[in-house]
Amino acid sequence: MASTPLTPSPAPAEHTEFVLTLVCADGPGIVHGVTGAVVAVGGNITESQQFASSETGRFYMRLQVDAPATAEEFEAALAPVVARHRIEHVLDRARRPLRTLILASKATHAVNDLLYQRSSGHLPIDVPLILANHDTIAPLAGFYGVPFEHRPVSGPEEKAAFEARVLEAIAEHDIELVVLARYMQILSPELCAALAGRCINIHHSFLPGFKGANPYRQAYARGVKQIGATAHFVTTDLDEGPIIEQNVIRVDHTRSPRELMAIGQDAESRTLRQAVTWYAQSRVLLDGTRTVVFR
Amino acid sequence: MASTPLTPSPAPAEHTEFVLTLVCADGPGIVHGVTGAVVAVGGNITESQQFASSETGRFYMRLQVDAPATAEEFEAALAPVVARHRIEHVLDRARRPLRTLILASKATHAVNDLLYQRSSGHLPIDVPLILANHDTIAPLAGFYGVPFEHRPVSGPEEKAAFEARVLEAIAEHDIELVVLARYMQILSPELCAALAGRCINIHHSFLPGFKGANPYRQAYARGVKQIGATAHFVTTDLDEGPIIEQNVIRVDHTRSPRELMAIGQDAESRTLRQAVTWYAQSRVLLDGTRTVVFR
Amino acid sequence: MASTPLTPSPAPAEHTEFVLTLVCADGPGIVHGVTGAVVAVGGNITESQQFASSETGRFYMRLQVDAPATAEEFEAALAPVVARHRIEHVLDRARRPLRTLILASKATHAVNDLLYQRSSGHLPIDVPLILANHDTIAPLAGFYGVPFEHRPVSGPEEKAAFEARVLEAIAEHDIELVVLARYMQILSPELCAALAGRCINIHHSFLPGFKGANPYRQAYARGVKQIGATAHFVTTDLDEGPIIEQNVIRVDHTRSPRELMAIGQDAESRTLRQAVTWYAQSRVLLDGTRTVVFR
Amino acid sequence: MASTPLTPSPAPAEHTEFVLTLVCADGPGIVHGVTGAVVAVGGNITESQQFASSETGRFYMRLQVDAPATAEEFEAALAPVVARHRIEHVLDRARRPLRTLILASKATHAVNDLLYQRSSGHLPIDVPLILANHDTIAPLAGFYGVPFEHRPVSGPEEKAAFEARVLEAIAEHDIELVVLARYMQILSPELCAALAGRCINIHHSFLPGFKGANPYRQAYARGVKQIGATAHFVTTDLDEGPIIEQNVIRVDHTRSPRELMAIGQDAESRTLRQAVTWYAQSRVLLDGTRTVVFR
């Protein structure tokens, strides 16, 4: 491939690994056009996935590209094809930690898992703040060196104040993702709207079974043989947002609701961690009320 | 244990492997009493499971007993403890094939699996008849030497006739279990009542999610990440009967409703086969709206 | 993309769905080049997967392309990029049934599953012949209308004759895939070599555990808590060929070797069916001693 | 049941929940005898499991019994039946935390999981000491308030000293279980012998596949489609001890050895936690080279 104006420097350019995600109306020539931009910047595709939704007619793509180019150079190379196919796209550095705000209540297992995985280098997020309406997580946050704020919520006014603080923290820390790690308050419609597409909740059932409160009690009463957990985007429609990941664990008639709850925590932590990891790696895209997950 | 009047014969008695299932109000001394009867007939317990339901206060037990005794001798030994604890019990020969009526519609996969497993000796049932409202299963039934009747159901009268034929066949063949192997008609409340506790259906979703018609279409629309199948007892409350077994299969955004249906058939067949096997082995007991499954 | 000499016809061309698989040394520009050929024939990519092996430095790709073009036109469009990157490629029609020879012994479950799935339209294979060294499968083959030959193998001469018949049948029916559906004879090194990369075996253990004979007996003795099945390519190194698919089933201490064998049959059938399906869909490529499976 | 000399007190006795495990040669009358002792102390069986091993001819039983009796009274009631059937038995309080010594090296995930689960009340163990040949676990141990000793092992002498310290700590803290939570040193035959039946290791593969060092590298090279973890008793025969629990996780060709290692950590932690939980609950019994696990 001949040299292009985008890589004029005679000095060997520094290599960057990029993640490019894009969405547009499906049609011919998109992949050829996008990969043309990759070739133009001397890039090497290290991972590539695509999906054409017959439901919405949209085309989704995620590329990892190792290139001796800057983001500006890559954007410039992409500009014509982006314009031609009316592509919405995001170009980012691979493995850049996502600025993540965690909301929690009393239960510690999901937060413990997220913080441990982050500290082990398996979960590419930065957590500038944990906000909780109980204080049980304070020691854990302290251990992992994550700022923690405890704001009790016992009435509508405190709830409004809590949510105001959420929005403030998002602005203050330039938050890209809000994770409800067993935060047991229902978000107001306004907050749901403000966080659309960037707020992940873990629900302690295999949705759409057992929406709402006390899903393990419901699962016990119904006598299910497997319990589950569901990570989904938060929408104003409670427990109805697009599903990102689900897991189940086999149980039997001997388990009490309390035991189901203990058993299920493992599925909850694992499922939330998986969803957050994929989101942080730009692998989760919205296709109407469904998600495209480029695992 | 000294010889008892129950085994008076000087000739060595023939050994039988029994299955004993029992239910009664929970209380002390039940196991001791029942195992006393086992000792009295010189029996050896080869499998034993029990469960005390905190929900209903009922005690459930299943024993396999190898004994040099007849059923009458064993019953006689059990009589005092049965009376003392007001036990409902069933004593049967282990591995006796259960007389099973299969109802089907167009889909062949579940029936194919049941008949193949039966012919392989893995599924202890006898199938004196398959009744279906379509004729697609006829060749399969023929191959396995199972009588097959095709009765179309296109209106209320034909449906009533179909159900009358079901009841007649039950009487005629002394049927112990009715299996709805993807029989796509809703049973009348009368038939549900008549078959209470001895009719198993396979529903092609992970209940309680996606009750009713077209569950794969519903699962697709909701964007679930695992699809499932549920074997349950039939009750008048559609898809709400006590669950016997459930399985799931991982799927992703690329699968169309039609593909989900094809993928799910494997879970359906496997789940139904498992539930029927356990039922035929007297491993499934009802505890209110839940099942006790002694796997 | 401007019109090309490859699609000169003013009449609307017939659409074909193609499957294109390719392998070459990894390097920049391959995807751009290949998708350029797709654009040239007016094709639409309906599925795309790729993998660059850090182990072997090879690049693998599988495309499904819906195009108003003939295979010749598509090949012509691909020719320059194929030459430039020294690509080995196969262009085929999507969903074309693969001509498949099944070898079997006494056990029927794997063959039953393959034939049932084929007849249901879920498994894109044609089976012009089943060869077996036992006759237990004859009725099943008859039911599904598949020619069946029984050739006993009780000594080296009969074994050589059996293998000669295999090679003859491959030539006679233009066989593309040989499936060992629980065929319990070890293939000669010569036959292994002749079938390299196009012969799939199902082994009844989770390889590399329990190679060789009686794996369920071995699994019982070792007290494993999950048993498994492995579908792999046949090589001269017994049970060491590249793995295509594996599944496990949970068991416990109560299961006898005989019960493990019965339980495991389900995993065997399912695993073999999955491997054959993927192979028939051109989703399985060899990367040294490992497989690339574009699921 | 009439009052017995064992419960003579007119004052209402305090209730205790006992766990009784027993092993003896199989034969008639054992369950009847044991449950007679339960009745004699006015006990109620809340959980009961049994297994007769056809391999060794041994009979295994585990009972949970809620009784208004002391351990001495229960032992006295058991004495005749224990003598008659030559039963080896252990009577303990249910949910009594097991005194557990953890050995570790550099990796923190397994220890983190054990300590978190213990602090959440899900894992009935007390950990008076963690001994490690690296210091990475020190902060974690500090956070959970568990004494931690770091003893480097870089040669045979240090290794001998480490093992001497293990034996000393066992005596000092009256240790009942030693857990190798990714302790990467091979125990000496002497230590293996000293810890027989009370030392659990987690191996990072699905044994018997990939014994020894670098199992993820081995798994990668072999191209397996599922990776696993195995918790087993330590014996002098490396990675050959009786298996307690195993789990697998699906992977594909895209995963590097390093990624397999990261993915597998979850299965390792979960599998070890499960095995330790069952052991601490007296659910794991040895039957020759196999385990009986009363889940």
Side-chain angles (χ1 to χ4, degrees):
Chain A
M1 197 65 16
S3 69
T4 79
L6 291 171
T7 56
S9 163
E14 221 175 302
H15 272 253
T16 305
E17 188 154 13
F18 293 100
V19 174
L20 172 66
T21 51
L22 59 88
V23 190
C24 60
D26 195 17
I30 303 167
V31 179
H32 186 59
V34 171
T35 55
V38 173
V39 172
V41 296
N44 190 32
I45 298 170
T46 55
E47 200 178 323
S48 167
Q49 283 155 306
Q50 59 183 77
F51 174 63
S53 170
S54 61
E55 201 70 359
T56 59
R58 309 286 284 167
F59 176 82
Y60 300 85
M61 192 172 196
R62 180 188 184 279
L63 284 179
Q64 273 186 226
V65 175
D66 183 68
T70 64
E72 290 69 30
E73 290 163 348
F74 201 170
E75 288 282 13
L78 286 165
V81 65
V82 160
R84 191 186 325 133
H85 295 282
R86 297 169 185 274
I87 292 172
E88 299 166 50
H89 77 292
V90 177
L91 184 67
D92 209 334
R93 272 182 300 114
R95 286 177 290 282
R96 181 180 68 76
L98 205 69
R99 289 180 303 277
T100 303
L101 172 67
I102 295 178
L103 306 189
S105 289
K106 214 179 236 170
T108 60
H109 58 282
V111 175
N112 179 61
D113 190 85
L114 293 174
L115 296 186
Y116 176 75
Q117 295 295 331
R118 190 205 57 140
S119 78
S120 301
H122 296 326
L123 187 54
I125 60 172
D126 277 343
V127 184
L129 184 63
I130 299 175
L131 267 176
N133 61 329
H134 289 268
D135 63 1
T136 43
I137 283 163
L140 205 57
F143 177 61
Y144 285 108
V146 174
F148 175 81
E149 276 181 39
H150 171 216
R151 296 187 165 242
V153 173
S154 50
E157 274 172 46
E158 284 180 333
K159 185 168 165 180
F162 191 100
E163 295 203 345
R165 178 63 187 123
V166 169
L167 289 171
E168 186 186 79
I170 288 173
E172 186 182 332
H173 299 288
D174 205 5
I175 292 298
E176 299 168 287
L177 172 66
V178 176
V179 174
L180 309 191
R182 292 298 304 275
Y183 177 63
M184 301 305 282
Q185 301 283 322
I186 296 173
L187 300 194
S188 69
E190 294 72 29
L191 193 54
C192 288
L195 303 180
R198 52 178 182 145
C199 180
I200 295 176
N201 181 44
I202 181 71
H203 186 75
H204 35 323
S205 87
F206 193 84
L207 289 174
F210 313 131
K211 289 191 282 188
N214 288 326
Y216 289 122
R217 166 48 68 184
Q218 294 182 59
Y220 173 82
R222 188 64 183 84
V224 291
K225 299 306 182 186
Q226 309 219 29
I227 54 170
T230 304
H232 64 93
F233 283 114
V234 172
T235 61
T236 49
D237 211 351
L238 185 65
D239 298 333
E240 285 285 358
I243 293 172
I244 302 169
E245 172 65 342
Q246 298 186 290
N247 283 295
V248 294
I249 295 180
R250 182 165 280 276
V251 295
D252 67 17
H253 58 274
T254 64
R255 301 302 185 179
S256 66
R258 176 181 293 270
E259 287 176 310
L260 294 183
M261 197 180 71
I263 292 168
Q265 289 188 357
D266 200 61
E268 294 170 31
S269 299
R270 196 153 33 102
T271 303
L272 180 60
R273 175 211 315 164
Q274 191 61 84
V276 172
T277 303
W278 286 334
Y279 187 90
Q281 294 172 340
S282 307
R283 295 181 185 282
V284 183
L285 303 173
L286 270 168
D287 180 42
T289 60
R290 311 170 75 237
T291 60
V292 172
V293 181
F294 288 134
R295 302 178 62 178
Chain B
M1 191 78 2
S3 70
T4 79
L6 290 170
T7 56
S9 165
E14 221 176 304
H15 273 251
T16 305
E17 188 155 13
F18 293 101
V19 175
L20 173 65
T21 50
L22 59 88
V23 191
C24 60
D26 196 15
I30 303 166
V31 178
H32 186 59
V34 171
T35 55
V38 172
V39 172
V41 295
N44 190 32
I45 298 170
T46 55
E47 200 178 322
S48 167
Q49 283 156 306
Q50 59 184 77
F51 174 63
S53 170
S54 61
E55 200 70 359
T56 60
R58 309 286 283 166
F59 176 82
Y60 300 85
M61 191 171 195
R62 180 188 186 278
L63 285 179
Q64 273 186 224
V65 175
D66 183 68
T70 64
E72 290 68 32
E73 289 163 347
F74 201 170
E75 287 283 12
L78 285 165
V81 64
V82 160
R84 190 184 326 133
H85 295 282
R86 298 169 184 273
I87 292 172
E88 299 166 49
H89 76 292
V90 177
L91 184 67
D92 209 335
R93 272 182 299 112
R95 285 176 290 281
R96 181 180 68 75
L98 205 70
R99 289 180 302 278
T100 303
L101 172 66
I102 295 177
L103 306 189
S105 289
K106 213 180 237 170
T108 61
H109 59 283
V111 174
N112 178 63
D113 190 84
L114 292 173
L115 296 185
Y116 176 74
Q117 295 295 330
R118 191 204 58 139
S119 78
S120 302
H122 297 324
L123 186 54
I125 61 172
D126 276 343
V127 184
L129 184 62
I130 299 175
L131 266 177
N133 62 330
H134 288 268
D135 63 0
T136 42
I137 284 163
L140 205 55
F143 176 61
Y144 285 108
V146 174
F148 174 82
E149 277 181 38
H150 171 217
R151 296 185 167 244
V153 173
S154 49
E157 274 171 47
E158 284 180 334
K159 185 169 167 179
F162 191 100
E163 295 203 346
R165 178 63 187 122
V166 169
L167 289 170
E168 185 186 80
I170 288 173
E172 186 181 332
H173 299 287
D174 206 5
I175 291 298
E176 300 168 286
L177 172 66
V178 176
V179 174
L180 310 191
R182 293 297 306 274
Y183 177 62
M184 302 304 282
Q185 300 284 321
I186 295 173
L187 300 194
S188 69
E190 294 71 30
L191 192 56
C192 289
L195 302 181
R198 52 178 182 146
C199 180
I200 296 176
N201 181 45
I202 181 71
H203 186 74
H204 35 324
S205 87
F206 194 83
L207 289 174
F210 313 130
K211 290 191 280 188
N214 287 327
Y216 289 121
R217 165 50 68 184
Q218 292 183 62
Y220 172 82
R222 188 64 184 81
V224 292
K225 300 305 183 185
Q226 310 220 29
I227 55 169
T230 304
H232 64 93
F233 283 114
V234 172
T235 61
T236 49
D237 210 352
L238 184 66
D239 298 335
E240 286 285 359
I243 292 171
I244 301 168
E245 172 65 342
Q246 298 186 290
N247 284 295
V248 295
I249 294 180
R250 183 166 278 277
V251 295
D252 68 16
H253 59 273
T254 64
R255 301 302 184 179
S256 66
R258 176 182 293 270
E259 287 176 309
L260 294 182
M261 198 179 71
I263 293 168
Q265 289 188 355
D266 199 61
E268 294 169 30
S269 299
R270 197 153 32 103
T271 303
L272 180 61
R273 176 212 313 165
Q274 190 61 83
V276 171
T277 303
W278 286 333
Y279 187 90
Q281 295 172 340
S282 307
R283 295 180 184 280
V284 183
L285 303 172
L286 269 170
D287 180 41
T289 58
R290 310 169 76 237
T291 61
V292 173
V293 180
F294 289 134
R295 303 177 61 177
Chain C
M1 191 78 4
S3 70
T4 79
L6 290 170
T7 56
S9 163
E14 220 176 304
H15 272 252
T16 305
E17 187 155 14
F18 293 101
V19 174
L20 172 67
T21 51
L22 59 88
V23 190
C24 60
D26 196 15
I30 304 166
V31 179
H32 186 59
V34 171
T35 54
V38 173
V39 172
V41 295
N44 190 31
I45 298 171
T46 55
E47 200 178 323
S48 167
Q49 282 156 305
Q50 60 184 78
F51 174 64
S53 170
S54 61
E55 201 69 0
T56 60
R58 308 286 283 167
F59 175 81
Y60 300 85
M61 192 172 195
R62 181 188 185 276
L63 285 179
Q64 272 186 227
V65 175
D66 184 68
T70 65
E72 290 69 32
E73 289 163 348
F74 201 170
E75 288 283 12
L78 285 165
V81 65
V82 160
R84 191 185 325 132
H85 296 281
R86 297 167 184 276
I87 291 172
E88 300 165 49
H89 78 292
V90 177
L91 184 68
D92 209 335
R93 272 182 298 113
R95 286 176 290 280
R96 180 180 68 76
L98 206 69
R99 289 180 303 277
T100 303
L101 172 66
I102 295 179
L103 306 189
S105 289
K106 214 180 237 169
T108 60
H109 58 283
V111 175
N112 179 62
D113 190 85
L114 293 174
L115 295 186
Y116 176 74
Q117 295 295 332
R118 191 204 56 139
S119 78
S120 302
H122 297 325
L123 187 53
I125 61 173
D126 276 344
V127 184
L129 184 63
I130 299 175
L131 267 175
N133 61 330
H134 290 268
D135 63 359
T136 42
I137 283 163
L140 205 56
F143 176 62
Y144 286 108
V146 174
F148 175 82
E149 275 181 41
H150 171 217
R151 297 187 163 242
V153 173
S154 50
E157 275 172 45
E158 284 180 333
K159 186 168 164 180
F162 191 100
E163 295 203 347
R165 179 62 187 122
V166 169
L167 289 171
E168 187 186 79
I170 288 172
E172 187 182 330
H173 299 287
D174 206 6
I175 292 298
E176 299 167 287
L177 171 66
V178 177
V179 174
L180 310 191
R182 292 297 305 275
Y183 176 63
M184 301 305 282
Q185 301 284 321
I186 296 172
L187 300 194
S188 69
E190 294 72 30
L191 192 55
C192 289
L195 303 181
R198 52 179 182 146
C199 180
I200 295 176
N201 181 44
I202 181 70
H203 186 74
H204 35 323
S205 87
F206 193 84
L207 289 174
F210 313 131
K211 291 191 281 189
N214 288 325
Y216 289 121
R217 165 49 67 184
Q218 294 183 60
Y220 173 82
R222 188 63 185 81
V224 292
K225 300 305 183 187
Q226 310 220 29
I227 54 170
T230 304
H232 64 94
F233 282 115
V234 172
T235 61
T236 49
D237 211 351
L238 185 65
D239 298 335
E240 285 285 359
I243 293 171
I244 301 169
E245 173 63 342
Q246 298 186 290
N247 284 295
V248 294
I249 294 180
R250 182 165 281 275
V251 296
D252 67 18
H253 59 274
T254 64
R255 302 302 185 177
S256 66
R258 177 181 293 270
E259 288 175 310
L260 294 183
M261 198 179 71
I263 293 168
Q265 289 187 356
D266 199 61
E268 294 170 31
S269 299
R270 195 154 33 103
T271 303
L272 179 60
R273 175 212 314 164
Q274 190 61 84
V276 172
T277 304
W278 286 333
Y279 186 90
Q281 294 171 339
S282 306
R283 295 181 185 279
V284 183
L285 303 173
L286 270 168
D287 180 42
T289 59
R290 311 169 76 237
T291 61
V292 173
V293 180
F294 289 134
R295 302 178 62 176
Chain D
M1 193 73 8
S3 69
T4 80
L6 290 169
T7 56
S9 164
E14 221 176 304
H15 272 253
T16 305
E17 188 155 13
F18 293 101
V19 175
L20 172 65
T21 51
L22 59 88
V23 191
C24 60
D26 196 15
I30 303 166
V31 178
H32 186 59
V34 172
T35 54
V38 173
V39 171
V41 295
N44 190 30
I45 298 171
T46 55
E47 200 178 322
S48 167
Q49 283 155 306
Q50 60 184 77
F51 174 64
S53 169
S54 61
E55 200 70 0
T56 61
R58 309 285 285 166
F59 176 81
Y60 300 85
M61 191 172 196
R62 180 188 186 278
L63 285 178
Q64 273 185 225
V65 175
D66 184 67
T70 64
E72 290 69 31
E73 289 164 346
F74 201 171
E75 287 283 11
L78 285 165
V81 65
V82 160
R84 191 185 325 135
H85 294 283
R86 299 169 184 272
I87 291 172
E88 299 166 49
H89 77 292
V90 177
L91 184 67
D92 210 335
R93 273 182 299 113
R95 286 176 290 281
R96 181 180 68 77
L98 205 70
R99 289 180 302 278
T100 303
L101 172 66
I102 295 177
L103 306 189
S105 289
K106 214 180 238 169
T108 61
H109 59 284
V111 175
N112 178 63
D113 191 84
L114 292 174
L115 296 185
Y116 176 74
Q117 295 295 331
R118 190 204 57 140
S119 77
S120 302
H122 297 325
L123 186 53
I125 61 172
D126 276 343
V127 183
L129 184 62
I130 299 175
L131 266 177
N133 62 329
H134 288 268
D135 62 0
T136 42
I137 283 163
L140 205 55
F143 176 62
Y144 284 108
V146 173
F148 175 82
E149 277 181 39
H150 170 217
R151 296 186 165 244
V153 173
S154 49
E157 275 172 46
E158 284 180 334
K159 185 168 166 180
F162 190 99
E163 295 203 347
R165 179 62 187 124
V166 169
L167 289 171
E168 186 186 79
I170 288 172
E172 186 182 331
H173 299 287
D174 205 6
I175 291 297
E176 300 168 287
L177 171 67
V178 177
V179 174
L180 310 191
R182 292 299 304 274
Y183 177 63
M184 302 303 281
Q185 300 284 321
I186 296 172
L187 300 194
S188 69
E190 294 71 30
L191 192 56
C192 288
L195 303 181
R198 51 177 181 145
C199 180
I200 295 176
N201 181 44
I202 181 71
H203 186 74
H204 36 322
S205 87
F206 193 83
L207 290 173
F210 313 130
K211 290 190 282 188
N214 288 326
Y216 289 121
R217 163 51 67 182
Q218 292 182 61
Y220 172 82
R222 188 64 185 82
V224 293
K225 300 306 183 186
Q226 310 221 29
I227 56 170
T230 305
H232 63 93
F233 283 114
V234 172
T235 62
T236 49
D237 211 351
L238 185 66
D239 298 335
E240 285 285 359
I243 292 171
I244 302 168
E245 173 64 343
Q246 298 186 289
N247 283 295
V248 294
I249 294 180
R250 183 165 279 277
V251 295
D252 68 16
H253 59 273
T254 64
R255 301 301 184 178
S256 67
R258 175 181 294 270
E259 288 175 309
L260 294 183
M261 198 180 71
I263 293 168
Q265 290 188 355
D266 199 61
E268 294 170 30
S269 299
R270 197 153 31 103
T271 303
L272 179 60
R273 177 211 315 164
Q274 190 62 83
V276 172
T277 303
W278 286 333
Y279 187 91
Q281 294 171 341
S282 307
R283 295 181 184 280
V284 183
L285 303 173
L286 268 168
D287 180 42
T289 58
R290 310 170 75 237
T291 61
V292 173
V293 181
F294 288 134
R295 302 177 62 177

